[in-house]
Amino acid sequence: MTRFTPAELEAARDRLVPDVVAGGLRVLFCGINPGLMTAATGHHFARPGNRFWPVLHLSGFTSRQLKPAEQAELLSYGLGITSVVARATARADELSAEEYREGGRLLAEKVVRLRPRWLAVVGVTAYRAAFGERGAAVGPQERVFGDTRVWVLPNPSGLNAHWTVATMAEEFARLRAAAGDEG
């Protein structure tokens, strides 16, 4: 993996990272917003220690553990990645409530257009902030966007230590079972 200096990472602040999407996906995973490592590399969930890629594999969504640079391969599994807020920051707490709400509005439009079977928001706090669902918990939600159902997953960041790789993989696997296993 490429090593970046603090200055190179800081230069990635506010960059946009292209979505990995297509119409009719089984699951569209949605992160909070790109971190600086993601923005510097152009690959989602790129920070070392982020558990998204290992959990995706352990839950059975992918046949092997993909690297962030292989993110385009997700489409062959009927999977994609987007973000609630497009701009890169060092920490999610740098985002304003308005950015979350606007991100939620734009995400809803994207989901209606792309029509994935499931939208999987990785991070209950992001889901609550984006959609005003203060009581939301991890798991399937009542909310739908067109025909797309919503599932909230635990945030795979290493900072979310009360979820282990194993317990996250169990929750991701629950979604995989609900989404169908034709991947």
Side-chain angles (χ1 to χ4, degrees), residues 101-113:
R101 285 190 299 274
E102 177 64 7
R105 185 187 70 74
L106 294 171
L107 177 60
E109 290 176 0
K110 185 182 301 183
V111 168
V112 168
R113 186 178 75 251

Side-chain angles (χ1 to χ4, degrees), residues 150-174:
V150 178
W151 197 293
V152 174
L153 292 167
N155 187 330
S157 166
L159 299 175
N160 189 10
H162 66 277
W163 281 87
T164 66
V165 168
T167 58
M168 276 190 283
E170 289 172 10
E171 189 61 31
F172 275 57
R174 286 181 57 218

Side-chain angles (χ1 to χ4, degrees), residues 116-131:
R117 197 172 310 158
W118 286 90
L119 170 66
V121 179
V122 292
V124 69
T125 303
Y127 178 77
R128 290 172 180 164
F131 299 108

